[in-house]
Amino acid sequence: MSRFFATGSDSESEESSSADELTPKAPGGNFKQSLLISDDEEDTKRVVRSAKDKRFEELTNLIKTIRNAMKIRDMAKCLEEFEQLCRAFLKSKTIVDKEGVPAFYIRLLADLEDYLNQLWEDKEGKKKMNKNNAKALSTLRQKIRKYNRDYETEVAAYKENPQESADEEEEKEAGGSGSSSDSEGEAGEDGVSAKAFLKKKPEAAPEASKFLKTAGVRGHPLRDDDDDDDDEDWGSDTVDSGSESSDEGEGKSSLAVVFLKKTQEGEKSGEKRVSKKKKPKKKERLEEEAEEEGGEEVEGGWEKVKGGAPMVKEKPKMFAKGTEINVPVVVKKLNEILQARGKKGTDRAAQIELLHSLATIAGENNLGQGILVKIKFNIIASLYDYNPNLAAFMKPDMWKKCLDCIDELLDILFEHNNIFIGENIAEDNESLAISDQPFRVRGCILTLVERMDEEFTKIMQNTDPHSQEYVDNLKDEGHVCGIIDRLLDYMETKGSTEEICRIYLRRIMHTYYKFDYKAHRRSLGLQGETKSEQDQEESEGEDSAVIMDRLCKFIYAKDRTDRIRTCAILCHIYHHALHSRWYQARDLMLMSHLQDNIQHADPPVQILYNRTMVQLGICAFRQGMIKDAHNALLDIQSSGRAKELLGQGLLMRNMQERNAEQEKIEKRRQVPFHMHINLELLECVYLVSAMLLEIPYMAAHEFDARRRMISKQFHHQLRVGERQPLLGPPESMREHVVAASKAMKMGDWRTCHSFIINEKMNSKVWDLFPETQRVREMLVRKIQEESLRTYLFTYSSVYDSISMGTLSEMFELEIPTVHSIISKMIINEELMASLDQPTQTVVMHRTEPTSLQNMALQLAEKLGSLVENNERVFDLKQGVYGGYFNRDQKGGYQQNKSYNRDQKGGYQQNKGGYNRGGYRNQNHQSNY
Amino acid sequence: MASRKESGTATSAVMASTSGTLDSPVKQIQIEGLVVLKIIKHYQEEGQGSEVVQGVLLGLVVEDRLEITNCFPFPQHTEDDADFDEVQYQMEMMRSLRHVNIDHLHVGWYQSTYYGSFVSRALLDSQFSYQHAIEESVVLIYDPIKTAQGSLSLKAYRLTPKLMEICKEKDFTPEALKKANIGFEHMFEEVPIIIKNSHLINVLMWDLEDKSTVADKHELLNLSSSNHLEKSLQLLMDRVDDMSQDIVKYNTYSRNLSKQQQQKHQYLQRRTQENAQRQSRGEPPLPEEDISKMFKPPQPPPRMDTLLIAGQINNYCQNVKEFTSQNLGKLFMAEALQGHN
């Protein structure tokens, strides 16, 4: 989450802030203007207006809305707006007291009352109204009746002579408001606007109502979807911003109307078609439209519109006709569009649309690649923005669009070598215009691609892995990789080292988990043929190993952020391990010292670490390094949460441990399905390794009271197996391993073998390895060897001597192997015996203590501790700590004990190879 | 068979308890051969492995001699018949026996044992209740394993009067035990046993002995010892572990106690100092507070279990000692024989 904001959002925030600089007229971010006002009007009049104008403007705006609502018989809206109007009127009380009640206000009151009465009478119409509207109607009627009582005389006067009184009022008002010459005109205009509206009503009706209908249609579903209070918020917002901005923006806005209308016109024709498909628009747009419409009326400028050629149809969306479309203009327009970004009511789809058309315009007018690149950047950014929250993933069409866009952007960048892009190019330093200098564009393609990659992961996470859809989505992986590759090429020539590191890491992330079958086959093939140097070199070009090596080494050398290096190392190890390069993988792991401090890394890295560790263990197993395999897998397996630690699924836990928020975060961390490590394979590898270690160990330490367990989990499985009242033939993988362990305990390697390697186990586990046959052979051999050891441990007391020939026959091992195994056991003092060379026999010494002797030893030990405890009691009584005990006896016992410890510590000392990756441990502590 | 029994009698007579039993109402126990056979049969039929069988002894007291003339087993009852009333059963049984003119006086109970592990809380409690109700009652311990090895092992035990006192008071704190001056040696007293048969039976046995072959006596000369010893050691070890735990518990307790004592002492000292100061200033001394309330002494661990464990350990040790000494003798014998050949 934070990562995204750290990288993805800074471009956004900077852009918007710079946009603020460029458009000084928008304090508080007036969206109306930012979205629709063209810039050529910007440096026209800047008017200082009186409070009165501000208030009245506000009122007229509201009145306009009410009138619109009246036209479409939207009573609910009418009511709402009316309430706002009353509030606004109350606010402007002081002015009203001074100036008298404005005529247009009275006019509205009168008209509204008439209108309502008329509606009220119309029983038919009322019946047709929906419940909401009908309710609103009755409320509004009551309200207005009550309200109008205060203005009875005025309303009556107006009703008598609507036109005159209005004019009079107008005159009066105009006369009275001579506070500033500028505002006078304004006021007049205001008045006119209202008046003209009324007068021209019949003319404008067809057009306006047509438009309004569409607006109404658009407005309705919105109100149904969103909550009402939301709407209200918006309403008041508009009021506020209107009042704020009107300080300086009034003149502009009135002038802008010229433009607005055209925009509207264009949009109307353009969007009507689209609007059905698009999400319902926000209400404030509706209001604007209404307002614009009002403005249009003022100017009476319908005739100015000249729709015609398709190009014009596109163009007027953005710019007034005749405006010379040049770079600064487009940039300003772009900034306007961008300003609406992230605002509550902004229609994101429309924004993307706008940006697209802007790009087309820029393209058509040959404004150069610089501006095009800039717009593209913004298109992609708004595509990412389309989803409001992080959890949601992109829709397929959006995703496609995004990929295409990035592709195009890269095309441009590749074609034109003279474009510099960078995050650190300030907005004002951009050079977008075509000139001799190279283009300089602000923006970071790398961030965009990284974001794209993340989106891809998100899509994969949110697709059902067992569906065709997943496969389809996965096909895009190639595309994503392609883009990353292209960017990598680009960055290698242009980017800084950090950027190269970042894109390398992306590339690595898409490579490390894939098994390189081509290289694998090649190496197999090569082994059979002659290994000519040339062949090797030829093939190296495409080997993922070589690529990994190159990329990772670059990162090791150049990277300065720890995280990227850590990830790269882990991926490198993973890749080595996946391709059975055990020694490289292990050495890299040990050299990196990651085990020591991985618990300080962030969870995704820890997951990666766990994955790597598991892969390392599986690799060791394939190579026959059973002990290493066991050690590597121990931590993951012993926790019993392998699934969670590998980021392959969430464990069911109660809500105390994890609330919904945390769950969401954890869900976001999951590894996509195609990167999963098979958990059954993992467990099987672990259990088989544990079996191969534990069974001989158990046999060797049968009488040892303080015997340690090598693998708790394995013992657990054994116990579960023992607890079963009825033992049928094994079914699951675990049962197979348990049955095999039992056979091995008796030294019966054939049965053990048949349990470990059979049809079922092959299909479940062993066939998943790339070199199945080799692994199976290794396993058979290990089983034979360990069974031999177990046999010797268990039954050595029965023999006086045993011929190695017999043993080799029993376990189907060659005599030298048997010889070496027995020699090793003798050297390690596991087997008290000697080898008789001429007769090839093992002669037992029978020096191991019998069970009775063992028991006696244990008893002695226990008695020792008993005495020690007893002495403590005695000491306490005496008040002296360690009285006579310290002198002689204790020393004696301790010697005894240290002797014991020496014997037992053997395994433990070997054990410390791998440390634990405490992904979960840390999880609870950190508060995201 | 007869000879075996005789020898058993002899050993138990020899091993008569050393602790003086002058004040005890029973100095000797005389058991009918029938009772012995019945007990053995009971175990053979119902007891397996470490399972324990129990029954009631009947007989009567003659002077300082307790004569046990008959017995009957407690039925092995399972979980299903939970409403089985043991007392009712005993009463019924005794009444029935009385009808056929058999001694019906309740004089104790018997129990089988597994490698000599019988010194337990349960035994103590039930023997206490027996002895409490019937003063001269005893508990017969039958060791089937030793018997199988060739020597009948049947021992009679009673609680010492000291232990009876303690049990009556139900005070097992360290202090109480200390005051009673009781150790594991003084918990139980063994009463010598004599097995008595009617003349007729004796005659029969003499007759039988002539007919019996040498093979029947082989168990006695069995040289293998490890199995028995291992088992004993195992049990001994378990008890030692228990003992260790108890000691640790006691240790913690005494440490806590001493710590608290110290605190208490400090507190009292401070208080007296303060009072002295106040007195010099002419103020009234501080009110006496209930010190025992402020310093609640830690709960002392009951020591009876420890005593029992110690008794049990002692028992095991005796067993092992006995067993090994016999075995050693046998081994020497075997060696001598080997040398001869």
PDB file of all heavy atoms in Angstrom, chain A residues 697 700-709 851 854-859 861-862 900 903-904, chain B residues 234 237-238 241:
ATOM      1  N   TYR A 697      18.227 -42.718  13.505  1.00  0.00           N
ATOM      2  CA  TYR A 697      18.553 -42.040  14.753  1.00  0.00           C
ATOM      3  C   TYR A 697      17.787 -42.664  15.909  1.00  0.00           C
ATOM      4  O   TYR A 697      18.329 -42.894  16.993  1.00  0.00           O
ATOM      5  CB  TYR A 697      18.206 -40.561  14.622  1.00  0.00           C
ATOM      6  CG  TYR A 697      18.532 -39.739  15.836  1.00  0.00           C
ATOM      7  CD1 TYR A 697      19.823 -39.307  16.068  1.00  0.00           C
ATOM      8  CD2 TYR A 697      17.537 -39.406  16.738  1.00  0.00           C
ATOM      9  CE1 TYR A 697      20.125 -38.561  17.187  1.00  0.00           C
ATOM     10  CE2 TYR A 697      17.821 -38.650  17.859  1.00  0.00           C
ATOM     11  CZ  TYR A 697      19.119 -38.234  18.079  1.00  0.00           C
ATOM     12  OH  TYR A 697      19.414 -37.499  19.183  1.00  0.00           O
ATOM     13  N   ALA A 700      19.270 -45.912  16.783  1.00  0.00           N
ATOM     14  CA  ALA A 700      20.552 -45.785  17.468  1.00  0.00           C
ATOM     15  C   ALA A 700      20.376 -45.369  18.920  1.00  0.00           C
ATOM     16  O   ALA A 700      21.175 -45.716  19.770  1.00  0.00           O
ATOM     17  CB  ALA A 700      21.430 -44.783  16.744  1.00  0.00           C
ATOM     18  N   HIS A 701      19.352 -44.613  19.192  1.00  0.00           N
ATOM     19  CA  HIS A 701      19.188 -44.081  20.542  1.00  0.00           C
ATOM     20  C   HIS A 701      17.955 -44.657  21.210  1.00  0.00           C
ATOM     21  O   HIS A 701      17.224 -43.960  21.887  1.00  0.00           O
ATOM     22  CB  HIS A 701      19.094 -42.560  20.509  1.00  0.00           C
ATOM     23  CG  HIS A 701      20.324 -41.916  19.969  1.00  0.00           C
ATOM     24  ND1 HIS A 701      20.565 -41.790  18.634  1.00  0.00           N
ATOM     25  CD2 HIS A 701      21.393 -41.390  20.596  1.00  0.00           C
ATOM     26  CE1 HIS A 701      21.724 -41.203  18.454  1.00  0.00           C
ATOM     27  NE2 HIS A 701      22.256 -40.954  19.625  1.00  0.00           N
ATOM     28  N   GLU A 702      17.783 -45.911  21.012  1.00  0.00           N
ATOM     29  CA  GLU A 702      16.547 -46.499  21.505  1.00  0.00           C
ATOM     30  C   GLU A 702      16.426 -46.365  23.016  1.00  0.00           C
ATOM     31  O   GLU A 702      15.348 -46.141  23.548  1.00  0.00           O
ATOM     32  CB  GLU A 702      16.505 -47.967  21.106  1.00  0.00           C
ATOM     33  CG  GLU A 702      15.096 -48.457  20.906  1.00  0.00           C
ATOM     34  CD  GLU A 702      15.078 -49.944  20.669  1.00  0.00           C
ATOM     35  OE1 GLU A 702      16.099 -50.490  20.235  1.00  0.00           O
ATOM     36  OE2 GLU A 702      14.030 -50.535  20.930  1.00  0.00           O
ATOM     37  N   PHE A 703      17.558 -46.500  23.693  1.00  0.00           N
ATOM     38  CA  PHE A 703      17.475 -46.534  25.148  1.00  0.00           C
ATOM     39  C   PHE A 703      17.816 -45.200  25.776  1.00  0.00           C
ATOM     40  O   PHE A 703      17.893 -45.087  26.986  1.00  0.00           O
ATOM     41  CB  PHE A 703      18.413 -47.605  25.688  1.00  0.00           C
ATOM     42  CG  PHE A 703      18.090 -48.948  25.134  1.00  0.00           C
ATOM     43  CD1 PHE A 703      18.980 -49.608  24.314  1.00  0.00           C
ATOM     44  CD2 PHE A 703      16.869 -49.528  25.409  1.00  0.00           C
ATOM     45  CE1 PHE A 703      18.659 -50.832  23.785  1.00  0.00           C
ATOM     46  CE2 PHE A 703      16.552 -50.761  24.885  1.00  0.00           C
ATOM     47  CZ  PHE A 703      17.443 -51.418  24.070  1.00  0.00           C
ATOM     48  N   ASP A 704      18.061 -44.266  24.941  1.00  0.00           N
ATOM     49  CA  ASP A 704      18.472 -42.984  25.489  1.00  0.00           C
ATOM     50  C   ASP A 704      17.249 -42.249  26.012  1.00  0.00           C
ATOM     51  O   ASP A 704      16.339 -41.909  25.262  1.00  0.00           O
ATOM     52  CB  ASP A 704      19.149 -42.165  24.377  1.00  0.00           C
ATOM     53  CG  ASP A 704      19.915 -41.029  24.967  1.00  0.00           C
ATOM     54  OD1 ASP A 704      19.602 -40.655  26.107  1.00  0.00           O
ATOM     55  OD2 ASP A 704      20.823 -40.522  24.293  1.00  0.00           O
ATOM     56  N   ALA A 705      17.258 -41.986  27.280  1.00  0.00           N
ATOM     57  CA  ALA A 705      16.073 -41.340  27.851  1.00  0.00           C
ATOM     58  C   ALA A 705      15.935 -39.914  27.351  1.00  0.00           C
ATOM     59  O   ALA A 705      14.834 -39.406  27.197  1.00  0.00           O
ATOM     60  CB  ALA A 705      16.173 -41.348  29.363  1.00  0.00           C
ATOM     61  N   ARG A 706      17.054 -39.290  27.113  1.00  0.00           N
ATOM     62  CA  ARG A 706      16.970 -37.882  26.717  1.00  0.00           C
ATOM     63  C   ARG A 706      17.073 -37.714  25.219  1.00  0.00           C
ATOM     64  O   ARG A 706      17.559 -36.704  24.736  1.00  0.00           O
ATOM     65  CB  ARG A 706      18.119 -37.117  27.373  1.00  0.00           C
ATOM     66  CG  ARG A 706      17.854 -36.877  28.826  1.00  0.00           C
ATOM     67  CD  ARG A 706      18.509 -35.597  29.219  1.00  0.00           C
ATOM     68  NE  ARG A 706      18.869 -35.640  30.614  1.00  0.00           N
ATOM     69  CZ  ARG A 706      19.924 -35.033  31.098  1.00  0.00           C
ATOM     70  NH1 ARG A 706      20.736 -34.377  30.300  1.00  0.00           N
ATOM     71  NH2 ARG A 706      20.182 -35.081  32.372  1.00  0.00           N
ATOM     72  N   ARG A 707      16.629 -38.692  24.539  1.00  0.00           N
ATOM     73  CA  ARG A 707      16.710 -38.631  23.087  1.00  0.00           C
ATOM     74  C   ARG A 707      15.954 -37.404  22.570  1.00  0.00           C
ATOM     75  O   ARG A 707      14.844 -37.121  22.998  1.00  0.00           O
ATOM     76  CB  ARG A 707      16.097 -39.897  22.539  1.00  0.00           C
ATOM     77  CG  ARG A 707      16.064 -39.973  21.065  1.00  0.00           C
ATOM     78  CD  ARG A 707      15.468 -41.288  20.669  1.00  0.00           C
ATOM     79  NE  ARG A 707      14.012 -41.223  20.763  1.00  0.00           N
ATOM     80  CZ  ARG A 707      13.253 -42.295  20.906  1.00  0.00           C
ATOM     81  NH1 ARG A 707      13.809 -43.473  21.034  1.00  0.00           N
ATOM     82  NH2 ARG A 707      11.945 -42.184  20.938  1.00  0.00           N
ATOM     83  N   ARG A 708      16.560 -36.726  21.662  1.00  0.00           N
ATOM     84  CA  ARG A 708      15.883 -35.562  21.089  1.00  0.00           C
ATOM     85  C   ARG A 708      15.168 -35.985  19.817  1.00  0.00           C
ATOM     86  O   ARG A 708      15.577 -36.915  19.163  1.00  0.00           O
ATOM     87  CB  ARG A 708      16.882 -34.473  20.727  1.00  0.00           C
ATOM     88  CG  ARG A 708      17.737 -34.028  21.861  1.00  0.00           C
ATOM     89  CD  ARG A 708      18.871 -33.196  21.315  1.00  0.00           C
ATOM     90  NE  ARG A 708      18.422 -32.390  20.189  1.00  0.00           N
ATOM     91  CZ  ARG A 708      17.803 -31.244  20.310  1.00  0.00           C
ATOM     92  NH1 ARG A 708      17.551 -30.759  21.484  1.00  0.00           N
ATOM     93  NH2 ARG A 708      17.442 -30.561  19.244  1.00  0.00           N
ATOM     94  N   MET A 709      14.171 -35.231  19.528  1.00  0.00           N
ATOM     95  CA  MET A 709      13.501 -35.503  18.270  1.00  0.00           C
ATOM     96  C   MET A 709      14.129 -34.630  17.196  1.00  0.00           C
ATOM     97  O   MET A 709      14.374 -33.454  17.419  1.00  0.00           O
ATOM     98  CB  MET A 709      12.023 -35.164  18.399  1.00  0.00           C
ATOM     99  CG  MET A 709      11.226 -36.257  19.032  1.00  0.00           C
ATOM    100  SD  MET A 709       9.509 -35.889  18.916  1.00  0.00           S
ATOM    101  CE  MET A 709       9.280 -34.984  20.405  1.00  0.00           C
ATOM    102  N   SER A 851      20.242 -53.006  27.992  1.00  0.00           N
ATOM    103  CA  SER A 851      19.142 -52.106  28.358  1.00  0.00           C
ATOM    104  C   SER A 851      19.098 -51.933  29.873  1.00  0.00           C
ATOM    105  O   SER A 851      18.805 -50.853  30.375  1.00  0.00           O
ATOM    106  CB  SER A 851      17.826 -52.663  27.843  1.00  0.00           C
ATOM    107  OG  SER A 851      17.558 -53.902  28.455  1.00  0.00           O
ATOM    108  N   ASN A 854      21.682 -49.510  30.744  1.00  0.00           N
ATOM    109  CA  ASN A 854      21.196 -48.186  30.368  1.00  0.00           C
ATOM    110  C   ASN A 854      20.256 -47.624  31.419  1.00  0.00           C
ATOM    111  O   ASN A 854      20.360 -46.470  31.825  1.00  0.00           O
ATOM    112  CB  ASN A 854      20.439 -48.277  29.052  1.00  0.00           C
ATOM    113  CG  ASN A 854      21.309 -47.899  27.891  1.00  0.00           C
ATOM    114  OD1 ASN A 854      22.093 -46.965  28.006  1.00  0.00           O
ATOM    115  ND2 ASN A 854      21.197 -48.610  26.801  1.00  0.00           N
ATOM    116  N   MET A 855      19.393 -48.524  31.818  1.00  0.00           N
ATOM    117  CA  MET A 855      18.403 -48.119  32.798  1.00  0.00           C
ATOM    118  C   MET A 855      19.077 -47.690  34.086  1.00  0.00           C
ATOM    119  O   MET A 855      18.725 -46.676  34.694  1.00  0.00           O
ATOM    120  CB  MET A 855      17.506 -49.336  33.064  1.00  0.00           C
ATOM    121  CG  MET A 855      16.154 -49.002  33.565  1.00  0.00           C
ATOM    122  SD  MET A 855      15.077 -48.639  32.220  1.00  0.00           S
ATOM    123  CE  MET A 855      14.527 -50.266  31.845  1.00  0.00           C
ATOM    124  N   ALA A 856      20.044 -48.489  34.486  1.00  0.00           N
ATOM    125  CA  ALA A 856      20.742 -48.180  35.722  1.00  0.00           C
ATOM    126  C   ALA A 856      21.432 -46.831  35.613  1.00  0.00           C
ATOM    127  O   ALA A 856      21.421 -46.031  36.561  1.00  0.00           O
ATOM    128  CB  ALA A 856      21.755 -49.274  36.028  1.00  0.00           C
ATOM    129  N   LEU A 857      21.999 -46.575  34.431  1.00  0.00           N
ATOM    130  CA  LEU A 857      22.655 -45.281  34.239  1.00  0.00           C
ATOM    131  C   LEU A 857      21.653 -44.149  34.383  1.00  0.00           C
ATOM    132  O   LEU A 857      21.922 -43.130  35.031  1.00  0.00           O
ATOM    133  CB  LEU A 857      23.291 -45.227  32.856  1.00  0.00           C
ATOM    134  CG  LEU A 857      24.595 -46.007  32.702  1.00  0.00           C
ATOM    135  CD1 LEU A 857      25.024 -46.004  31.252  1.00  0.00           C
ATOM    136  CD2 LEU A 857      25.667 -45.386  33.572  1.00  0.00           C
ATOM    137  N   GLN A 858      20.533 -44.354  33.756  1.00  0.00           N
ATOM    138  CA  GLN A 858      19.512 -43.310  33.848  1.00  0.00           C
ATOM    139  C   GLN A 858      19.089 -43.076  35.283  1.00  0.00           C
ATOM    140  O   GLN A 858      18.940 -41.938  35.738  1.00  0.00           O
ATOM    141  CB  GLN A 858      18.275 -43.728  33.057  1.00  0.00           C
ATOM    142  CG  GLN A 858      18.388 -43.492  31.580  1.00  0.00           C
ATOM    143  CD  GLN A 858      17.160 -44.026  30.897  1.00  0.00           C
ATOM    144  OE1 GLN A 858      16.047 -43.807  31.351  1.00  0.00           O
ATOM    145  NE2 GLN A 858      17.363 -44.726  29.811  1.00  0.00           N
ATOM    146  N   LEU A 859      18.926 -44.205  35.977  1.00  0.00           N
ATOM    147  CA  LEU A 859      18.497 -44.086  37.364  1.00  0.00           C
ATOM    148  C   LEU A 859      19.535 -43.307  38.157  1.00  0.00           C
ATOM    149  O   LEU A 859      19.192 -42.427  38.956  1.00  0.00           O
ATOM    150  CB  LEU A 859      18.302 -45.476  37.959  1.00  0.00           C
ATOM    151  CG  LEU A 859      17.860 -45.487  39.417  1.00  0.00           C
ATOM    152  CD1 LEU A 859      16.492 -44.861  39.548  1.00  0.00           C
ATOM    153  CD2 LEU A 859      17.835 -46.899  39.968  1.00  0.00           C
ATOM    154  N   GLU A 861      21.489 -41.101  37.091  1.00  0.00           N
ATOM    155  CA  GLU A 861      21.381 -39.692  36.733  1.00  0.00           C
ATOM    156  C   GLU A 861      20.232 -39.030  37.496  1.00  0.00           C
ATOM    157  O   GLU A 861      20.367 -37.944  38.053  1.00  0.00           O
ATOM    158  CB  GLU A 861      21.098 -39.613  35.242  1.00  0.00           C
ATOM    159  CG  GLU A 861      21.718 -38.430  34.554  1.00  0.00           C
ATOM    160  CD  GLU A 861      21.575 -38.604  33.066  1.00  0.00           C
ATOM    161  OE1 GLU A 861      22.381 -39.314  32.460  1.00  0.00           O
ATOM    162  OE2 GLU A 861      20.618 -38.033  32.532  1.00  0.00           O
ATOM    163  N   LYS A 862      19.133 -39.743  37.500  1.00  0.00           N
ATOM    164  CA  LYS A 862      17.967 -39.178  38.177  1.00  0.00           C
ATOM    165  C   LYS A 862      18.221 -39.021  39.660  1.00  0.00           C
ATOM    166  O   LYS A 862      17.830 -38.017  40.271  1.00  0.00           O
ATOM    167  CB  LYS A 862      16.767 -40.088  37.956  1.00  0.00           C
ATOM    168  CG  LYS A 862      16.234 -39.884  36.569  1.00  0.00           C
ATOM    169  CD  LYS A 862      14.889 -40.455  36.374  1.00  0.00           C
ATOM    170  CE  LYS A 862      14.427 -39.993  34.999  1.00  0.00           C
ATOM    171  NZ  LYS A 862      13.579 -40.945  34.359  1.00  0.00           N
ATOM    172  N   ASN A 900      27.607 -36.496  29.469  1.00  0.00           N
ATOM    173  CA  ASN A 900      26.380 -36.835  28.767  1.00  0.00           C
ATOM    174  C   ASN A 900      26.085 -35.847  27.654  1.00  0.00           C
ATOM    175  O   ASN A 900      25.676 -36.216  26.581  1.00  0.00           O
ATOM    176  CB  ASN A 900      25.207 -36.834  29.742  1.00  0.00           C
ATOM    177  CG  ASN A 900      25.230 -38.076  30.597  1.00  0.00           C
ATOM    178  OD1 ASN A 900      25.708 -39.114  30.141  1.00  0.00           O
ATOM    179  ND2 ASN A 900      24.762 -37.962  31.818  1.00  0.00           N
ATOM    180  N   GLN A 903      27.820 -36.347  24.469  1.00  0.00           N
ATOM    181  CA  GLN A 903      27.280 -37.398  23.628  1.00  0.00           C
ATOM    182  C   GLN A 903      26.079 -36.918  22.830  1.00  0.00           C
ATOM    183  O   GLN A 903      25.907 -37.278  21.693  1.00  0.00           O
ATOM    184  CB  GLN A 903      26.835 -38.564  24.505  1.00  0.00           C
ATOM    185  CG  GLN A 903      27.955 -39.549  24.732  1.00  0.00           C
ATOM    186  CD  GLN A 903      27.443 -40.774  25.410  1.00  0.00           C
ATOM    187  OE1 GLN A 903      26.487 -40.705  26.177  1.00  0.00           O
ATOM    188  NE2 GLN A 903      28.073 -41.895  25.150  1.00  0.00           N
ATOM    189  N   LYS A 904      25.314 -36.129  23.502  1.00  0.00           N
ATOM    190  CA  LYS A 904      24.046 -35.818  22.865  1.00  0.00           C
ATOM    191  C   LYS A 904      24.074 -34.607  21.966  1.00  0.00           C
ATOM    192  O   LYS A 904      23.266 -34.457  21.087  1.00  0.00           O
ATOM    193  CB  LYS A 904      22.970 -35.602  23.935  1.00  0.00           C
ATOM    194  CG  LYS A 904      22.282 -36.882  24.227  1.00  0.00           C
ATOM    195  CD  LYS A 904      21.802 -36.906  25.625  1.00  0.00           C
ATOM    196  CE  LYS A 904      21.912 -38.303  26.160  1.00  0.00           C
ATOM    197  NZ  LYS A 904      21.871 -38.348  27.587  1.00  0.00           N
TER     198      LYS A 904
ATOM    199  N   GLN B 234      12.488 -49.383  36.117  1.00  0.00           N
ATOM    200  CA  GLN B 234      11.608 -48.425  35.452  1.00  0.00           C
ATOM    201  C   GLN B 234      10.661 -47.780  36.464  1.00  0.00           C
ATOM    202  O   GLN B 234      10.518 -46.554  36.528  1.00  0.00           O
ATOM    203  CB  GLN B 234      10.799 -49.164  34.379  1.00  0.00           C
ATOM    204  CG  GLN B 234      10.072 -48.262  33.416  1.00  0.00           C
ATOM    205  CD  GLN B 234      11.058 -47.519  32.523  1.00  0.00           C
ATOM    206  OE1 GLN B 234      11.873 -48.145  31.863  1.00  0.00           O
ATOM    207  NE2 GLN B 234      10.996 -46.206  32.549  1.00  0.00           N
ATOM    208  N   MET B 237      12.425 -45.577  38.800  1.00  0.00           N
ATOM    209  CA  MET B 237      12.764 -44.295  38.196  1.00  0.00           C
ATOM    210  C   MET B 237      11.578 -43.341  38.193  1.00  0.00           C
ATOM    211  O   MET B 237      11.727 -42.163  38.478  1.00  0.00           O
ATOM    212  CB  MET B 237      13.209 -44.533  36.766  1.00  0.00           C
ATOM    213  CG  MET B 237      14.637 -44.145  36.547  1.00  0.00           C
ATOM    214  SD  MET B 237      15.066 -44.255  34.860  1.00  0.00           S
ATOM    215  CE  MET B 237      15.126 -45.969  34.588  1.00  0.00           C
ATOM    216  N   ASP B 238      10.446 -43.894  37.884  1.00  0.00           N
ATOM    217  CA  ASP B 238       9.251 -43.043  37.878  1.00  0.00           C
ATOM    218  C   ASP B 238       9.042 -42.424  39.245  1.00  0.00           C
ATOM    219  O   ASP B 238       8.760 -41.228  39.371  1.00  0.00           O
ATOM    220  CB  ASP B 238       8.021 -43.874  37.501  1.00  0.00           C
ATOM    221  CG  ASP B 238       8.061 -44.299  36.057  1.00  0.00           C
ATOM    222  OD1 ASP B 238       8.934 -43.772  35.339  1.00  0.00           O
ATOM    223  OD2 ASP B 238       7.248 -45.149  35.657  1.00  0.00           O
ATOM    224  N   ASP B 241      11.432 -39.732  39.931  1.00  0.00           N
ATOM    225  CA  ASP B 241      11.013 -38.492  39.272  1.00  0.00           C
ATOM    226  C   ASP B 241       9.966 -37.768  40.101  1.00  0.00           C
ATOM    227  O   ASP B 241      10.040 -36.544  40.300  1.00  0.00           O
ATOM    228  CB  ASP B 241      10.436 -38.807  37.893  1.00  0.00           C
ATOM    229  CG  ASP B 241      11.533 -38.969  36.869  1.00  0.00           C
ATOM    230  OD1 ASP B 241      12.670 -38.565  37.179  1.00  0.00           O
ATOM    231  OD2 ASP B 241      11.259 -39.489  35.781  1.00  0.00           O
TER     232      ASP B 241
END
